[in-house]
Amino acid sequence: MERTSMNAYRYRITVEALEGEQTSTGLGHPLQFEVQNHDDLFEIAARTKDKQILSPDDSAALIIGLKLFAEVALQNRKHPLFEPILLPIREFIQRLKALGGPNSNS
């Protein structure tokens, strides 16, 4: 994964509808955007999947969604919209990191 600066990885995120009701943009028109994140999302997703806390798909969705949201909140931490959520996000991430794998007593 390419790092664009000392503390950032660059990602292309694609969301593609596989089935379901058509939206105003219709099925088959993926939403694609690029973001930077200070973490290696692949490594974090693999570690979380290995803990077997959730199904592999739920685990990936949780990590990618959480890390994308947390990065935006962190980059905009002085914006009034994000001020009340910063501490709960940090606490949730710390709790997630502390969870053990399937053979732990956690």
Side-chain angles (χ1 to χ4, degrees):
M1 176 58 50
E2 175 185 341
R3 279 189 120 167
T4 58
S5 71
M6 186 86 161
N7 295 319
Y9 293 85
R10 188 164 175 81
Y11 298 97
R12 177 176 297 123
I13 307 297
T14 303
V15 179
E16 183 176 357
L18 301 177
E19 59 183 77
E21 292 186 29
Q22 282 211 225
T23 65
S24 60
T25 58
L27 292 175
H29 293 88
L31 169 64
Q32 192 172 80
F33 57 96
E34 294 184 8
V35 295
Q36 289 187 20
N37 197 288
H38 69 276
D39 288 318
D40 181 342
L41 299 183
F42 292 106
E43 192 267 331
I44 293 171
R47 276 195 330 232
T48 305
K49 180 182 170 188
D50 289 346
K51 291 182 179 188
Q52 298 179 5
I53 300 163
L54 303 168
S55 73
D57 284 349
D58 284 349
S59 180
L62 171 66
I63 292 305
I64 299 305
L66 176 63
K67 294 305 291 181
L68 292 178
F69 179 73
E71 189 74 14
V72 170
L74 183 62
Q75 290 174 1
N76 294 281
R77 65 183 160 269
K78 294 184 181 183
H79 191 289
L81 178 65
F82 294 104
E83 287 177 10
I85 197 73
L86 291 174
L87 183 57
I89 290 172
R90 184 177 305 124
E91 290 171 350
F92 181 84
I93 290 172
Q94 288 172 346
R95 185 176 186 156
L96 181 60
K97 286 178 179 180
L99 290 175
N103 297 322
S104 72
N105 294 326
S106 298

